[in-house]
Amino acid sequence: MPDAFTTRTLHVATGSRERVVDITTDCEDFLREAAAGRDGLFNIFVPHATAGIALIETGAGSDDDLLAALHTLLPADDRWQHRHGSPGHGRDHVLPAIVSPHATLPVIAGRLELGTWQSVCLVDTNTDNTDRRVRLSFLA
C-alpha cells in the first residue's frame, strides 16, 4: 500500500515575463502515483515570497485578465518600500497576500476534485526569478 503522506518538488521555468502557468497536468501526474486511487487531500505550496497558486479557468483569457487585475491592484511603479530588483519589484512581494502561496484540494478516487473550468496555476509576476519550485503533497 502506498504511503499515507507523499511529497515531491516540481520545477517550473517561468521565464522573464509575468505568467500564469497551468500546472494541472503535473498535479494529476503526481496524484496518479501518490494517491493510487485513494481519497485524501492534495496540498500545493510555492516556497517563494513572490509567487502564488490560483484556481482559475485558463485559455479563455481569464489568465490574462488575472495579470491585468494584478497590475491594477499592484502597479509596477516606485510606490513600494521594498525596492531591490526590477522597477516596481516591491509589488511582487505583496502578491502572496492576494494570490495565496498554497491551496489544499480534495482528492476523490485518486483524482483532483476540480470544477469544470478550474485549473491549478502558478502565478508569477517576478521577472527577476525565472525558476520556481512548487511542493506537491498528498495526504491519505
Side-chain angles (χ1 to χ4, degrees):
M1 174 173 230
D3 293 334
F5 178 78
T6 306
T7 189
R8 180 177 304 146
T9 301
L10 174 66
H11 295 274
V12 180
T14 55
S16 59
R17 63 183 178 90
E18 297 179 0
R19 299 217 22 225
V20 175
V21 182
D22 186 340
I23 56 175
T24 307
T25 300
D26 297 300
C27 297
E28 291 169 340
D29 291 346
F30 166 72
L31 286 170
R32 205 170 351 275
E33 180 182 325
R38 297 175 296 164
D39 295 348
L41 293 174
F42 171 71
N43 183 268
I44 182 166
F45 173 68
V46 182
H48 297 282
T50 58
I53 298 296
L55 299 179
I56 189 170
E57 178 181 4
T58 59
S62 296
D63 33 358
D64 291 333
D65 289 342
L66 173 59
L67 290 175
L70 291 171
H71 273 275
T72 300
L73 292 170
L74 305 170
D77 58 22
D78 65 356
R79 74 182 69 199
W80 309 103
Q81 293 181 40
H82 187 107
R83 294 184 183 264
H84 77 83
S86 298
H89 174 65
R91 77 182 187 113
D92 299 326
H93 288 273
V94 177
L95 174 77
I98 296 170
V99 180
S100 178
H102 65 89
T104 300
L105 306 168
V107 175
I108 307 299
R111 298 187 55 124
L112 275 177
E113 190 73 7
L114 292 173
T116 302
W117 302 111
Q118 287 180 315
S119 294
V120 180
C121 296
L122 170 66
V123 179
D124 187 2
T125 60
N126 182 357
T127 59
D128 295 332
N129 188 343
T130 61
D131 229 3
R132 296 300 187 161
R133 289 177 294 124
V134 180
R135 171 67 61 184
L136 310 176
S137 301
F138 174 73
L139 178 63

